[in-house]
Amino acid sequence: MSATLPLRLGTVAPEGLRAQRSGLRWLVRDGQRVRPGDVLGYCQLGVLPPKGGITASPMAMERLDFGVAFSAPFAGRVRPRAGTSRGGMLDRLRAAASWDPEEVVAEIEPEAEVPPGARVLGLLFTTGLRVNPQLAMRSGLLSGWYARRRAWWGDAGGEAPPTLACLGSCDIADAIAGEEGDFREFHAGIAGPAHLVLLPEIMPVTAGVSALEAMRRTPAELQAISEGMRRAFADGPPPGAEDWLFAGSLLAALGRNPVALDAPLLTQAGITRVARPDAILFSLIGDARTVLRHRTQGWSLALHGYRLQPDLIGPATRAWLDAAFVRETRSFAQQAAEMAELVAALRAAIPGPVVVANQATTTGRDQLHAYAAFDAPLSEQVAAVRNRDWTLLLTELARSHGMLVLDVDAILAEMGMAAHMPDGTHPSGALQAALRQETARLLREAGLPGFAPRAA
């Protein structure tokens, strides 16, 4: 066995930039055994031009929540150095210290001989684009309210690593982002480098017709939506804080094109930009059968029912929704045609695979013994039948459009619906781990680099 080895921070800012950091927040105990890729701790990070000025940061608005997590380069027992965590706000604000690439912040007792070049911590960069820049929360890594959050390894070189974007509905969002929302589990399981991006639900649902319209919406159309809301709020009941919060969140969501990322990416070799994802993942749960259709502008608004409860929206928002929209329940045929159109549009916009997660076709709540009481087509009235029709449709789209299916239904059949997704929407931690592994396998077999399993 090798002797105890020091672990250095390593290079962050490329030449011409300077880096500063908070104190380190450790996630491991002294002497804890770790595996390669395990996250040991993290800090907040600032990357600035030499002459300072936060508005000139190359990370633009994502500088507000830019951080870096440290990972173990090999297996062993790690011992964080005393004094690297200073506690309080000094571990939350990035101005506590300058980044010193030669600083030793921990030691590790390796389980086997390691080459000298491996004695540097792995650096997992994370950042989030806030829904509103005034909304701050620094309780952890990527702990705020974001319109977009992402993570990537810093050793990708001067070029951007392959990018997977996920439209984050409840069944797959945390399968990609992990238990703490900082992507550590997914990155610990793949060799990389890879760039993972989550586009969470801000207000409306993320996939289906919402995504299709978002890809086509022009700045002028978004401005018209904003102006219509402004007029409605001016002419209707006086808006309160909850109305303005609804309006701002909705506009942030409607202006987000899932294939137009335009994201700065810092690596240890320099800064590059990611214009669009290489692959995209979304779920059928992210599509909605019933939408609100704007009476004059024609765009659709798909919201979960709980968002429209009386105590969650203000009177101005309620008046606007009642006056400006009509409720529309889409047929299976209409949804199927829109899904085929969405897949085709995504395939034309990105170079890599489009992956769609299906739904469970059987649940423990199915109690129907006969379908004679229902009119045809059954998919319009019985959810379990509708889900089976969706499974067949996705199989056809996979053949005709080159799409890939994340087979949640098959995984649940092996693991058990009652134990791992009892409500048909929200997965257990074990199911999330299985979905991460299956997503990486699909991308790897589709030829997307960076998603091979990490060596033990």
Side-chain angles (χ1 to χ4, degrees):
M1 178 184 297
S2 301
T4 299
L5 298 176
L7 292 176
R8 296 181 292 105
L9 284 177
T11 302
V12 160
E15 185 177 355
L17 297 173
R18 61 186 178 92
Q20 55 190 31
R21 63 169 178 81
S22 68
L24 311 187
R25 303 178 75 176
W26 294 102
L27 303 174
V28 293
R29 304 180 307 276
D30 185 66
Q32 181 175 327
R33 183 188 180 277
V34 296
R35 302 163 300 176
D38 281 354
V39 172
L40 310 178
Y42 64 92
C43 69
Q44 302 302 320
L45 186 65
V47 178
L48 304 171
K51 295 183 180 180
I54 61 172
T55 56
S57 169
M59 295 306 298
M61 289 305 296
E62 286 178 303
R63 72 184 187 274
L64 299 173
D65 295 276
F66 193 33
V68 58
F70 318 114
S71 73
F74 42 79
R77 295 193 177 276
V78 67
R79 290 188 166 82
R81 279 204 168 176
T84 52
S85 175
R86 302 173 66 183
M89 292 302 293
L90 296 184
D91 281 1
R92 300 188 181 197
L93 301 178
R94 65 188 184 188
S98 296
W99 183 280
D100 180 1
E102 299 301 320
E103 182 180 0
V104 175
V105 296
E107 288 83 27
I108 189 169
E109 296 177 6
E111 295 181 352
E113 294 293 332
V114 295
R119 301 175 188 182
V120 177
L121 291 164
L123 301 180
L124 181 65
F125 293 126
T126 67
T127 191
L129 186 62
R130 296 180 187 178
V131 174
N132 185 293
Q134 302 294 339
L135 301 177
M137 181 183 296
R138 294 187 175 92
S139 61
L141 195 64
L142 284 182
S143 57
W145 185 30
Y146 300 114
R148 175 178 77 194
R149 49 183 166 152
R150 55 197 183 97
W152 66 97
W153 289 111
D155 59 356
E159 297 183 359
T163 296
L164 168 66
C166 174
L167 306 185
S169 51
C170 292
D171 55 336
I172 58 173
D174 287 344
I176 302 303
E179 294 287 346
E180 301 297 329
D182 55 18
F183 305 93
R184 71 180 72 166
E185 294 94 340
F186 203 128
H187 275 296
I190 59 175
H195 177 210
L196 304 180
V197 181
L198 178 66
L199 304 174
E201 288 185 354
I202 304 173
M203 187 62 70
V205 299
T206 56
V209 66
S210 297
L212 187 60
E213 290 184 3
M215 292 177 64
R216 296 171 172 172
R217 184 170 290 121
T218 66
E221 289 170 336
L222 184 63
Q223 180 61 35
I225 293 172
S226 176
E227 179 62 20
M229 293 180 69
R230 187 198 65 77
R231 287 197 304 268
F233 278 21
D235 298 338
E242 65 273 25
D243 295 299
W244 294 118
L245 182 61
F246 183 98
S249 304
L250 179 60
L251 290 173
L254 295 178
R256 187 180 64 180
N257 185 335
V259 295
L261 296 181
D262 189 28
L265 207 68
L266 172 70
T267 72
Q268 290 168 301
I271 292 179
T272 184
R273 300 193 73 86
V274 175
R276 47 95 185 107
D278 296 289
I280 199 161
L281 166 67
F282 67 91
S283 168
L284 288 179
I285 290 179
D287 195 12
R289 184 185 181 194
T290 299
V291 301
L292 301 176
R293 181 75 62 184
H294 198 278
R295 296 178 187 272
T296 58
Q297 295 173 336
W299 58 279
S300 64
L301 177 57
L303 296 166
H304 295 299
Y306 71 83
R307 295 195 185 277
L308 301 179
Q309 294 174 9
D311 56 341
L312 296 183
I313 60 175
T317 301
R318 172 63 67 186
W320 174 63
L321 292 174
D322 289 343
F325 293 88
V326 60
R327 187 181 179 90
E328 177 184 297
T329 298
R330 298 142 71 217
S331 67
F332 179 80
Q334 183 180 357
Q335 275 189 281
E338 289 171 345
M339 182 61 63
E341 197 173 353
L342 172 61
V343 171
L346 290 171
R347 292 281 291 141
I350 65 175
V354 174
V355 185
V356 183
N358 63 18
Q359 294 177 259
T361 55
T362 303
T363 75
R365 296 173 293 178
D366 289 343
Q367 298 181 7
L368 289 177
H369 301 287
Y371 295 116
F374 298 95
D375 294 330
L378 289 175
S379 61
E380 302 299 333
Q381 303 180 61
V382 183
V385 173
R386 190 180 185 88
N387 288 350
R388 293 184 182 102
D389 285 350
W390 270 119
T391 297
L392 292 174
L393 174 65
L394 290 186
T395 301
E396 294 172 3
L397 288 177
R399 293 170 179 165
S400 61
H401 288 63
M403 185 198 76
L404 302 177
V405 178
L406 177 59
D407 202 343
V408 179
D409 186 41
I411 295 173
L412 276 172
E414 293 290 334
M415 298 182 66
M417 182 85 177
H420 296 285
M421 193 183 272
D423 63 356
T425 301
H426 301 97
S428 68
L431 178 55
Q432 288 178 358
L435 295 177
R436 277 193 294 273
Q437 294 172 5
E438 180 64 7
T439 299
R441 184 191 69 82
L442 290 170
L443 297 176
R444 178 170 65 253
E445 293 186 356
L448 192 67
F451 289 87
R454 181 181 292 273

